Amino acid sequence: MVPPLEGGTDALLPDLPKGPLQAYRARASFCWQELVLFLEGEDMLRLKKTIFSALENDPLFAHSHGEDLSLEKYRELSFLRCKRVMEYSLLPVEEMVARPLSVQTLITCLGMYDWSLAVKFLLHMLTFGSAIYSSGSERHLKYLPKIFNMDIFGCFAVTELSHGSNAKAIRTTAHYDPTTEEFIIHSPDFEAAKFWVGNMGKTATHAVVFAQLYTPGGQCHGPHSFVVQIRNPKTLLPMPGVMVGDIGKKLGLNGVDNGFAMFHKVRIPRQDLLNRIGDVTPEGTYVTPFKDDRQRFGASLGTLSLGRVAIVGMSIVNLKLAVSIALRFSATRCQFGPSDGEEVPVLEYQTQRWRLLPYLAAAYALDHFSKSLFLDLAELQRGLMGTDQGARQAELGREIHALASAGKPLASWTAQRGIQECREACGGHGYLAGGAHFQSPLRTVDFLQAYPDILGQRFTCPSVDSCLDSSVPLAAYEWLVGYLLRESYQKLNQEKRSGSNDFEARNNSQVYYCHPLALAFLELTVVRRFHEYTHQPRVPPPLRAVLGRLSALYALWSLSQHTALLYQGGYFSGEQAGKMIQNAILDLCSQLKDDAVALVDVIAPPDFVLDSPIGRADGELYKNLWTAVLLESRVLERPSWWSEFSVHKPRIGSLKSKL
């Protein structure tokens, strides 16, 4: 077990190295250490430092610069690193239960180093281990020590070759046989094969398998989860009746062995049904604490949402890394200036700020959303493991599922666009229905109770200065969601009146209606949560201004992408409304320019983890670039193919004679 780091906050947050970035750090309007402590808390910060220190001081985690690892070598290394992380016992079980965000912190730190390692660990410990812990009961606790000791290695098998998001329609079956008190797991055909399952390709010995549960008499009770052994832990050979294999090389995350599996009448004990939401008696009677199938499935959505919540967090981490590198680069890369003899950092240019700073604000806002959604999921899991298994629990599961389903594309698309913008900026170096009463345990749709009044509102800001608070775009977002909700509802009714069935009506109402509605709703949720977080009374006074600007910039920048809809619906009128939003964004970018480096210092990992010569904390851009070139190249060494070429190369004379 790695001992936690000792010392006070000074030891946790030492001064950053002096260098070219010091000029921007000196101009920051806040203390970056104070903001780190406010955002993370001392305990979480200590955990981060412990993790990063363990990785940096272990030769197994040394970066292999300039070396292209083979697929098998990369997978072997990822498995050994995952095993080493488990041996470190960085996060005891009681710590995970008491402080759920510590789990997200661990995954985040590992992901900053290498997402193959982080995903492999996450799939084994969280998706597999957490599913057994939260979806099972006391009879399943026997698996936990084996998971922690890696006596068994796990995966989570929901997705099938022909079914992904539509988990209700999976085709793997589990028929109960009361004569032997066993379930028979079966894949009816190749389309029912479990597919794209991480860790299943080469290393997993056990899987949490989702299958349609059938009791004697042929009644189907819908998807349930089962613990199924797929390989012998000592030989890694497939178990009888299991066909399991690897799907091969992918475009990324090749340290993770994604695989497939088919089951031919594989028998497992009745006790290996994870029975938190439903169980089968030895005689074959189905029992459940939930009143109806809808409530039961709603409660199970929490387990299915974990992967989407994790992808939200992964996307934000990647965006953080990209903006850290791009902004440190922009603060030290000097090009042109007011006179021939003077060059200024490219961060001083309005275009560079406009390209990068909104994504810095997005990283902060989406990071808070990701953490709050993870806590919502932890609340759901605690309720399922206790006695809270009523209607509220089911509604909470559905609401989290909706937020996670919309959050995944919003976060990943934002990160994708942001990372590309960061690359280019470094140059060559580089869910809702209307008209009915609904419950909202997380209060994400409570604002719609004032739906008619909201639609009657209009943009009334008199000046740019009055737009510089996130309450302004927040009000606009509430109108936008209300407007898109009305338009989507009317479109659905129009389709039904024209003869479309429910499926056709929904399908024909996606583009321009339900799709932008889902995105706008999720963006509103992110904006609202970050606005409430940055405007709460416990924010230290020195941090209120910079956090308020970040909140306003993210909200206005996101809202500006819906300008056409705001004009189309009549919320905006006249050219000044649109111009006011644009000018407010530019003003906020200008106001945040001098804080950019310090804001990056808050979210950037240590140089060892960031592993970028143009994004190091010392700001020595050109020296670090040159050092990296020397380290990763073999100076004065001929190419490996040169000797053969020099022997067989054509002679000029012989060419002339042929001519």
Side-chain angles (χ1 to χ4, degrees):
M1 181 174 178
V2 176
L5 293 182
E6 302 294 333
T9 55
D10 290 342
L12 287 174
L13 295 168
D15 290 335
L16 293 164
K18 307 295 182 183
L21 289 173
Q22 194 60 32
Y24 277 100
R25 289 183 176 128
R27 283 155 39 192
S29 68
F30 67 99
C31 172
W32 72 272
Q33 289 103 328
E34 185 178 6
L35 183 53
V36 175
L37 283 169
F38 173 72
L39 294 175
E40 302 284 354
E42 188 172 332
D43 290 343
M44 215 61 68
L45 188 57
R46 196 174 299 277
L47 174 61
K48 272 189 171 183
K49 295 292 184 180
T50 300
I51 297 167
F52 287 143
S53 179
L55 299 182
E56 188 169 3
N57 294 316
D58 190 331
L60 184 61
F61 297 92
H63 291 295
S64 53
H65 292 128
E67 181 183 350
D68 292 327
L69 297 175
S70 68
L71 181 64
E72 287 303 312
K73 183 64 179 176
Y74 189 18
R75 289 181 172 178
E76 177 190 3
L77 197 56
S78 295
F79 182 81
L80 292 174
R81 286 170 173 171
C82 182
K83 186 172 185 294
R84 183 65 55 84
V85 171
M86 296 294 294
E87 291 168 350
Y88 279 146
S89 298
L90 293 163
L91 210 54
V93 177
E94 56 271 19
E95 179 76 5
M96 296 182 184
V97 175
R99 296 192 300 162
L101 279 182
S102 62
V103 179
Q104 190 185 47
T105 297
L106 175 56
I107 299 300
T108 293
C109 291
L110 296 178
M112 283 183 166
Y113 169 76
D114 178 13
W115 275 118
S116 283
L117 166 62
V119 169
K120 199 161 190 66
F121 178 87
L122 181 149
L123 291 171
H124 173 63
M125 277 295 295
L126 287 190
T127 52
F128 176 71
S130 177
I132 292 176
Y133 181 68
S134 62
S135 299
S137 60
E138 188 174 352
R139 73 192 192 200
H140 301 105
L141 296 180
K142 64 182 182 180
Y143 286 110
L144 297 184
K146 297 178 181 180
I147 293 171
F148 277 88
N149 295 329
M150 281 183 70
D151 295 331
I152 63 176
F153 200 67
C155 61
F156 190 73
V158 180
T159 300
E160 297 177 351
L161 187 60
S162 62
H163 286 91
S165 301
N166 188 10
K168 266 189 173 181
I170 58 171
R171 301 182 60 243
T172 303
T173 59
H175 284 82
Y176 182 66
D177 181 356
T179 61
T180 60
E181 295 189 21
E182 293 175 316
F183 283 101
I184 305 170
I185 309 297
H186 186 66
S187 308
D189 52 49
F190 76 94
E191 291 186 3
K194 296 300 181 182
F195 203 77
W196 271 112
V197 182
N199 288 351
M200 180 176 272
K202 298 284 188 180
T203 52
T205 62
H206 291 67
V208 168
V209 176
F210 271 69
Q212 304 284 358
L213 191 158
Y214 287 84
T215 48
Q219 184 179 359
C220 180
H221 300 275
H224 286 66
S225 52
F226 304 80
V227 180
V228 182
Q229 184 174 345
I230 60 174
R231 286 188 178 95
N232 184 315
K234 294 182 178 179
T235 66
L236 288 185
L237 292 176
M239 298 298 290
V242 179
M243 178 191 291
V244 59
D246 186 77
I247 66 172
K249 192 171 184 178
K250 311 178 295 291
L251 288 176
L253 287 181
N254 278 300
V256 180
D257 49 313
N258 292 76
F260 66 89
M262 292 187 69
F263 305 94
H264 182 69
K265 300 179 180 178
V266 176
R267 289 179 172 265
I268 64 171
R270 178 183 67 88
Q271 291 83 358
D272 282 343
L273 163 64
L274 296 175
N275 59 337
R276 184 73 62 178
I277 65 168
D279 204 353
V280 175
T281 67
E283 299 77 22
T285 301
Y286 183 79
V287 291
T288 178
F290 295 95
K291 293 180 179 179
D292 54 52
D293 292 344
R294 184 174 179 269
Q295 284 190 8
R296 188 185 70 240
F297 187 70
S300 71
L301 287 173
T303 301
L304 297 174
S305 296
L306 178 59
R308 291 182 173 97
V309 174
I311 290 174
V312 172
M314 291 168 64
S315 301
I316 306 315
V317 168
N318 291 336
L319 181 58
K320 282 182 176 181
L321 296 176
V323 296
S324 295
I325 294 168
L327 281 166
R328 282 177 174 172
F329 173 89
S330 300
T332 52
R333 174 72 165 175
C334 296
Q335 292 289 288
F336 307 105
S339 62
D340 290 341
E342 180 184 1
E343 290 190 309
V344 298
V346 293
L347 185 55
E348 295 297 320
Y349 291 102
Q350 185 185 65
T351 301
Q352 193 80 347
R353 298 197 297 265
W354 173 74
R355 295 178 72 178
L356 297 179
L357 292 180
Y359 286 107
L360 176 62
Y364 274 82
L366 288 168
D367 184 55
H368 174 68
F369 170 73
S370 174
K371 290 175 180 176
S372 64
L373 186 59
F374 195 88
L375 290 175
D376 293 335
L377 186 60
E379 179 192 347
L380 175 67
Q381 302 289 14
R382 280 195 300 267
L384 285 174
M385 295 175 65
T387 58
D388 185 9
Q389 296 182 347
R392 184 189 182 278
Q393 196 68 12
E395 291 294 340
L396 180 60
R398 274 192 288 272
E399 189 165 4
I400 290 173
H401 182 66
L403 291 174
S405 297
K408 174 185 171 182
L410 176 63
S412 57
W413 291 341
T414 302
Q416 178 193 43
R417 294 194 303 267
I419 292 167
Q420 183 62 23
E421 200 72 67
C422 288
R423 285 196 188 105
E424 294 175 2
C426 289
H429 302 293
Y431 105 87
L432 291 172
H437 175 71
F438 42 78
Q439 294 184 44
S440 178
L442 300 177
R443 304 180 63 186
T444 56
V445 295
D446 283 4
F447 73 98
L448 288 175
Q449 293 172 2
Y451 170 78
D453 293 333
I454 290 173
L455 284 181
Q457 295 173 0
R458 294 295 180 264
F459 182 77
T460 58
C461 282
S463 65
V464 171
D465 288 344
S466 62
C467 296
L468 301 181
D469 186 88
S470 46
S471 59
V472 172
L474 184 58
Y477 259 117
E478 289 185 347
W479 179 92
L480 179 62
V481 170
Y483 170 73
L484 287 170
L485 180 62
R486 184 189 68 187
E487 296 296 300
S488 299
Y489 179 72
Q490 292 175 350
K491 175 64 174 175
L492 278 166
N493 285 337
Q494 175 190 329
E495 290 290 330
K496 290 177 180 179
R497 287 194 302 268
S498 67
S500 300
N501 59 36
D502 285 347
F503 176 81
E504 292 170 337
R506 289 195 300 269
N507 189 43
N508 295 338
S509 303
Q510 292 300 309
V511 180
Y512 301 125
Y513 298 95
C514 295
H515 180 265
L517 168 61
L519 283 177
F521 166 71
L522 203 282
E523 288 169 357
L524 164 61
T525 304
V526 175
V527 168
R528 188 193 308 283
R529 289 192 178 192
F530 198 46
H531 171 83
E532 292 173 351
Y533 180 69
T534 57
H535 290 72
Q536 60 181 312
R538 72 182 189 91
V539 176
L543 303 179
R544 290 174 184 170
V546 66
L547 287 174
R549 292 184 188 117
L550 285 171
S551 178
L553 179 56
Y554 174 72
L556 288 166
W557 173 74
S558 296
L559 182 69
S560 69
Q561 299 170 65
H562 303 287
T563 301
L565 283 171
L566 294 167
Y567 273 111
Q568 176 182 306
Y571 187 77
F572 280 177
S573 61
E575 63 178 18
Q576 286 306 311
K579 287 183 177 179
M580 211 172 286
I581 298 298
Q582 293 173 352
N583 290 331
I585 291 170
L586 294 176
D587 280 6
L588 286 165
C589 287
S590 181
Q591 292 174 27
L592 284 167
K593 170 178 65 71
D594 291 344
D595 288 329
V597 170
L599 286 167
V600 163
D601 293 337
V602 171
I603 62 175
D607 287 341
F608 167 77
V609 174
L610 189 60
D611 195 28
S612 167
I614 66 172
R616 293 180 64 87
D618 59 12
E620 295 287 358
L621 173 60
Y622 302 114
K623 185 167 73 175
N624 293 330
L625 269 173
W626 182 244
T627 301
V629 170
L630 293 177
L631 284 174
E632 296 192 23
S633 65
R634 295 172 176 86
V635 180
L636 300 179
E637 187 176 293
R638 287 177 177 175
S640 59
W641 44 264
W642 177 258
S643 57
E644 182 179 354
F645 173 77
S646 62
V647 172
H648 301 288
K649 64 184 179 182
R651 303 295 177 181
I652 295 177
S654 63
L655 286 175
K656 286 182 177 178
S657 64
K658 290 179 180 180
L659 293 173

